[in-house]
Amino acid sequence: MPEFMDVHTGMAGITPEGLLEAHNADLAIQGEEGVDFKHAWADPESGMVFCLSEAPDAEAVQRIHERAGHPADSIYQVPVQA
Amino acid sequence: MPEFMDVHTGMAGITPEGLLEAHNADLAIQGEEGVDFKHAWADPESGMVFCLSEAPDAEAVQRIHERAGHPADSIYQVPVQA
C-alpha cells in the first residue's frame, strides 16, 4: 500500500487535545476509503501539521481529511524512505 | 529530547540509493551535535523530503544537514503528536 505524507498549514496554536480530536475524526472514517493514518506531528508555533498514512491514493487521503473537516494543503506520495 | 520534522525541496528524481547515501552521511556525524535522525520520507516526483529527528534544537539539526551537504529548507519542532 502506498504511503503518503500530507501537510496542513494554518494550525498555529494547536493543542495536544485539538490534534488528537482531529486525528480521531480521521480514524473514525478512514476505513471507508481504505486509509490508515499512522502518525501526526504538529508545530503549534508555525501551524504546520504533518500526517503519515497508508492509502490507495492521495485522493483517498484528502477525502477523509475533507470529511473530517481539515483538508490537507499538500499530499505527497513517499515511496522512497530511509 | 525535542523532536523535529525538517523539509527539503528540490530533490526531484531522488532514488532509494541517493536517499540512503544522504541519510547515512547524516548518521555518520549526527552524534557530534547530539542529533538522532529517525526516518526520512521522499517523493521523487515533487522533490520533497521529510526528515524526523530528535535533537537539542533546530540549529543542531541544520548543522548536521549542512555539513552532510544537504541543508534543510525548513525545520519545525513538533512537540504535539497523535
Side-chain angles (χ1 to χ4, degrees):
Chain A
M1 184 83 86
E3 288 190 277
F4 298 87
M5 186 74 80
D6 69 73
V7 181
H8 305 252
T9 62
M11 304 295 287
I14 190 166
T15 62
E17 296 74 18
L19 184 66
L20 185 61
E21 184 177 2
H23 188 58
N24 284 340
D26 289 324
L27 299 188
I29 58 173
Q30 66 181 9
E32 299 171 25
E33 296 278 359
V35 179
D36 178 13
F37 283 103
K38 302 171 80 167
H39 202 82
W41 297 264
D43 173 11
E45 288 199 15
S46 67
M48 300 288 288
V49 178
F50 304 88
C51 299
L52 181 68
S53 63
E54 289 187 354
D57 52 41
E59 291 71 24
V61 174
Q62 187 67 307
R63 282 193 294 271
I64 295 299
H65 271 339
E66 282 179 347
R67 289 175 54 199
H70 44 254
D73 293 273
S74 308
I75 303 177
Y76 304 98
Q77 190 169 345
V78 286
V80 176
Q81 300 188 23
Chain B
M1 183 86 84
E3 288 189 277
F4 298 87
M5 186 73 80
D6 69 74
V7 181
H8 305 252
T9 63
M11 304 293 288
I14 190 166
T15 62
E17 296 74 18
L19 184 66
L20 185 61
E21 184 177 1
H23 189 58
N24 283 341
D26 290 325
L27 299 188
I29 58 173
Q30 65 180 10
E32 298 171 26
E33 295 278 359
V35 179
D36 178 13
F37 283 102
K38 302 172 80 168
H39 203 82
W41 298 265
D43 174 9
E45 288 199 15
S46 67
M48 300 287 288
V49 178
F50 303 89
C51 300
L52 180 68
S53 64
E54 289 186 354
D57 53 40
E59 290 72 24
V61 174
Q62 187 67 309
R63 281 193 294 270
I64 296 298
H65 271 339
E66 284 179 345
R67 288 176 53 199
H70 44 253
D73 292 274
S74 308
I75 304 177
Y76 304 99
Q77 190 168 345
V78 286
V80 176
Q81 301 188 22

